Amino acid sequence: MTSPLPGPLAPLAPLLDDYGYPAVGLLVFLDNCAVPVPGQTILVLAAVYAGTGRLSIAAVAAIAVVAAVAGDSLGYLIGRKGGPAFVRRWGRYLGLTPERMARAEGFFDRQGVKVVVFARFVDGLRQANGVVAGASRMPWPRFLAANAVGALLWVGVWASAAYLAGNNIGALYDRAVRYQLYLLVALGLLLLGLCARLLLRRRGRPGPPTPDRQPTDRQRAERPEGQRSGTTSKDEA
């Protein structure tokens, strides 16, 4: 390296120096199955190393794609097997009711492919999207196809950008992280807006109509004769 690594990459340099490709595979795998480790960061660092001839960019990309697909698939399996049981046992404490899970399943039926493909580019979503897709019962063939496409795009974008940027990766990485933060804020505001809209709709709905209370046959029988006849006449009128 002709210049020092940017802040987020420097702490991982010893790990990559000592373990090379296995470190890339392990961290990318864990990063894609709901474990908060710097998988994206080590992918970028490995591509920078490849740009200086210390690693093979083809090997880095291949290992990262396989690890990303495998990690997301494990997350899907965890969500598929454990998600419904988690909702039944703990969902009520988190506001995650079976009805809301049913709506999530409907959302993934409509938009799940897009979510799985593009979630990898956002920290937080990258770690959770496989678990959510599994818990939402997204069909496995559809998930696997979206998972593979998302892994290819994610690895392709970051590996090629870092490989070509070389020692200029610091400015590029900082800018990408900044835009990612803006995207997270925008998604958060969108979710808040959707929640507010749902609450306003619920408050604006009229309650169920109150039925007219008619006296029962027993109540009519217990009334005095005059009241019974008056009621009967009123009813007939």
Side-chain angles (χ1 to χ4, degrees):
M1 295 289 169
T2 58
S3 63
L5 290 166
L9 303 182
L12 293 177
L15 181 65
L16 195 58
D17 290 336
D18 292 339
Y19 298 102
Y21 299 118
V24 175
L26 178 62
L27 290 188
V28 169
F29 173 81
L30 294 176
D31 187 39
N32 281 265
C33 68
V35 180
V37 298
Q40 180 172 279
T41 308
I42 202 166
L43 169 61
V44 171
L45 178 59
V48 172
Y49 271 38
T52 64
R54 301 175 66 176
L55 293 174
S56 165
I57 188 61
V60 168
I63 290 170
V65 168
V66 172
V69 172
D72 223 21
S73 297
L74 178 59
Y76 176 91
L77 182 62
I78 292 171
R80 185 86 180 199
K81 297 298 183 182
F86 177 86
V87 171
R88 286 193 299 269
R89 184 168 183 178
W90 304 105
R92 63 181 181 274
Y93 300 110
L94 303 174
L96 191 60
T97 63
E99 292 77 13
R100 289 178 180 173
M101 278 303 300
R103 288 198 291 270
E105 290 177 14
F107 174 79
F108 262 81
D109 284 340
R110 299 187 304 271
Q111 306 292 342
V113 171
K114 297 176 184 176
V115 172
V116 173
V117 168
F118 295 106
R120 274 193 171 87
F121 290 92
V122 181
D123 285 332
L125 295 182
R126 180 173 60 257
Q127 289 82 7
N129 85 92
V131 176
V132 175
S136 300
R137 302 288 178 176
M138 184 178 181
W140 167 251
R142 187 184 304 172
F143 170 79
L144 183 59
N147 181 15
V149 172
L152 287 169
L153 287 175
W154 178 64
V155 172
V157 167
W158 277 114
S160 59
Y163 180 78
L164 296 173
N167 291 324
N168 297 318
I169 188 62
L172 175 64
Y173 194 81
D174 289 341
R175 187 175 302 173
V177 170
R178 190 181 309 119
Y179 288 145
Q180 181 175 271
L181 178 61
Y182 294 157
L183 180 58
L184 277 174
V185 171
L187 287 174
L189 292 174
L190 177 61
L191 288 175
L192 287 175
L194 290 174
C195 291
R197 184 179 179 185
L198 288 174
L199 287 174
L200 290 174
R201 279 186 176 182
R202 286 186 178 181
R203 290 181 179 179
R205 288 176 184 170
T210 304
D212 295 335
R213 299 188 62 182
Q214 298 293 336
T216 63
D217 293 339
R218 183 176 178 180
Q219 289 173 334
R220 288 173 178 169
E222 291 175 351
R223 289 180 180 178
E225 183 66 28
Q227 291 184 10
R228 287 206 303 270
S229 61
T231 302
T232 304
S233 301
K234 183 179 179 181
D235 292 342
E236 290 176 353

